[in-house]
Amino acid sequence: MKVLVHSDDAEQWRDALAKRLPDAEVFTSSAPAEKRREADYLAVWKPSAELLGEPARLKGIVNLGAGVDALLNNPGLPAGVPIVKLRDAGMAELIGDYVRYGILHFQRDFDRYRRQQARHEWHEHTVIDKSDWPVGVLGLGAIGAKVAAMVAADGFPVHGWSRSPKQLEGITCQHGEAGLDALLGRVKSLVLLLPDTAETRHIIDQAALAKLPEGASLINPGRGSLIDEVDLLDALGPDSEGQGETEGRLRGALLDAFTEEPLPADSPLWSHPRLWITPHMAGPTPLGEALDQVAEALRAFEAGEPIETVDRDAGY
Ligand code: GLV
């Protein structure tokens, strides 16, 4: 089989995959056009529309990431070709650490201490016990479920929400619209790990933010489209030009994903004193386990064995 690899670190993937699949011919997207046209499979992260459309007899695509939104929205995506995506593959633990950092940031008042430091002010806040700090996790796929378990293991009560009903040990699981409202009404930190689909777009808008308890915090290592960024700024309060002393309904947010990435230099999000911005770094794809999953997917495709593929209509 001929496998074309495309990603920021394509050479590394090519070499590692070639070792793992000695019978395969593995090459990167910098190969000549006639070679690219012969590819049986693509193992890709954010390919161009041209690249997706090139292979004449494509048998399968492996998405070198967890989210398939970029791939499914790519106008070059050929119809009918099965897609496999990475599931967790080491990303969940990295994202879990990011989320735990974010929760502790607010629960242990690091945001407030930072502002106090600017004023040289020594003042200790009473610690709210973890057991009184409910955390909501929206999205209970491979990543969300693991992150929820990590947060629960830390001692926080965790409420999880998914589109369809799920049962996860140690997590209070909710689903559907009523379940979402109930969850929003009681969490002190809300974590977003839903896929980017037509149904999840702006799921966190003015109405949803208004349901959060006063002083709740938001952590988004998922997708920027989940949040209406204008409504988010509104909920943070009026002090975008100040030092962030006046906490609005929403105490603050740690954001790793944005509607437009890279976040444009003139975005007002950059300078809001109660926003913490990171450049989509919460869950990079580590090669190790991901490599196993990609090699296994290609092997199963080629052997004609059943394999869990992406539901293009659902969007994940
Ligand atoms: C990263 O954002 C991914 O979807 O893997």
Side-chain angles (χ1 to χ4, degrees):
M1 66 176 141
K2 296 182 179 171
V3 184
L4 186 158
V5 183
H6 175 83
S7 78
D8 287 345
D9 40 9
E11 278 81 20
Q12 239 188 319
W13 275 100
R14 178 199 58 203
D15 296 348
L17 263 182
K19 242 189 234 159
R20 199 62 72 91
L21 302 166
D23 295 335
E25 189 185 341
V26 189
F27 45 89
T28 71
S29 48
S30 55
E34 62 270 24
K35 182 109 231 140
R36 300 199 299 265
R37 274 196 288 277
E38 290 170 4
D40 300 306
Y41 301 100
L42 298 179
V44 288
W45 179 244
K46 296 194 173 167
S48 67
E50 294 70 38
L51 186 67
L52 269 184
E54 273 177 348
R57 288 174 305 275
L58 197 59
K59 297 196 255 181
I61 301 174
V62 184
N63 184 58
L64 296 178
V68 284
D69 42 300
L71 192 59
L72 295 185
N73 291 328
N74 190 315
L77 181 68
V81 177
I83 301 168
V84 169
K85 66 174 186 172
L86 297 181
R87 292 178 193 272
D88 177 355
M91 279 178 267
E93 174 141 3
L94 291 165
I95 294 174
D97 286 342
Y98 182 95
V99 167
R100 293 162 74 216
Y101 170 90
I103 295 167
L104 291 175
H105 180 84
F106 296 106
Q107 185 239 346
R108 296 304 309 273
D109 298 299
F110 286 102
D111 55 338
R112 292 173 177 156
Y113 290 127
R114 183 77 220 171
R115 296 197 290 275
Q116 285 177 214
Q117 185 177 344
R119 298 193 298 268
H120 301 197
E121 182 188 317
W122 186 278
H123 166 67
E124 187 180 342
H125 296 273
T126 308
V127 176
I128 297 179
D129 198 77
K130 286 177 186 170
S131 60
D132 291 326
W133 195 278
V135 174
V137 177
L138 303 193
L140 297 173
I143 293 175
K146 173 132 181 197
V147 170
M150 285 171 77
V151 174
D154 280 348
F156 295 96
V158 179
H159 300 261
W161 184 83
S162 50
R163 195 167 78 140
S164 48
K166 293 221 165 139
Q167 283 195 328
L168 297 172
E169 207 188 316
I171 313 294
T172 308
C173 292
Q174 321 255 21
H175 69 278
E177 216 165 294
L180 181 60
D181 283 358
L183 179 150
L184 291 175
R186 62 167 63 106
V187 297
K188 281 195 185 297
S189 290
L190 181 66
V191 179
L192 307 182
L193 284 167
L194 289 161
D196 169 7
T197 68
E199 283 176 33
T200 62
R201 186 165 184 277
H202 289 185
I203 193 165
I204 300 304
D205 59 3
Q206 189 188 27
L209 289 163
K211 287 174 189 149
L212 290 170
E214 190 83 27
S217 49
L218 193 61
I219 299 163
N220 185 16
R223 284 291 183 264
S225 62
L226 303 174
I227 300 179
D228 183 320
E229 290 170 352
V230 174
D231 290 355
L232 173 73
L233 283 169
D234 272 355
L236 281 166
D239 55 349
S240 58
E241 303 300 322
Q243 296 306 306
E245 300 305 335
T246 320
E247 290 176 6
R249 285 195 58 75
L250 189 66
R251 172 163 163 180
L254 173 61
L255 305 175
D256 191 48
F258 303 89
T259 307
E260 190 181 341
E261 294 183 12
L263 184 62
D266 61 355
S267 166
L269 299 177
W270 281 114
S271 49
H272 196 289
R274 279 180 295 109
L275 287 181
W276 275 259
I277 309 276
T278 52
H280 204 132
M281 48 57 89
T285 310
L287 205 59
E289 198 184 320
L291 187 63
D292 293 344
Q293 288 190 17
V294 176
E296 174 53 23
L298 292 168
R299 193 202 58 74
F301 268 143
E302 193 64 359
E305 289 173 13
I307 180 165
E308 190 172 357
T309 55
V310 167
D311 177 341
R312 289 190 184 211
D313 294 329
Y316 58 91

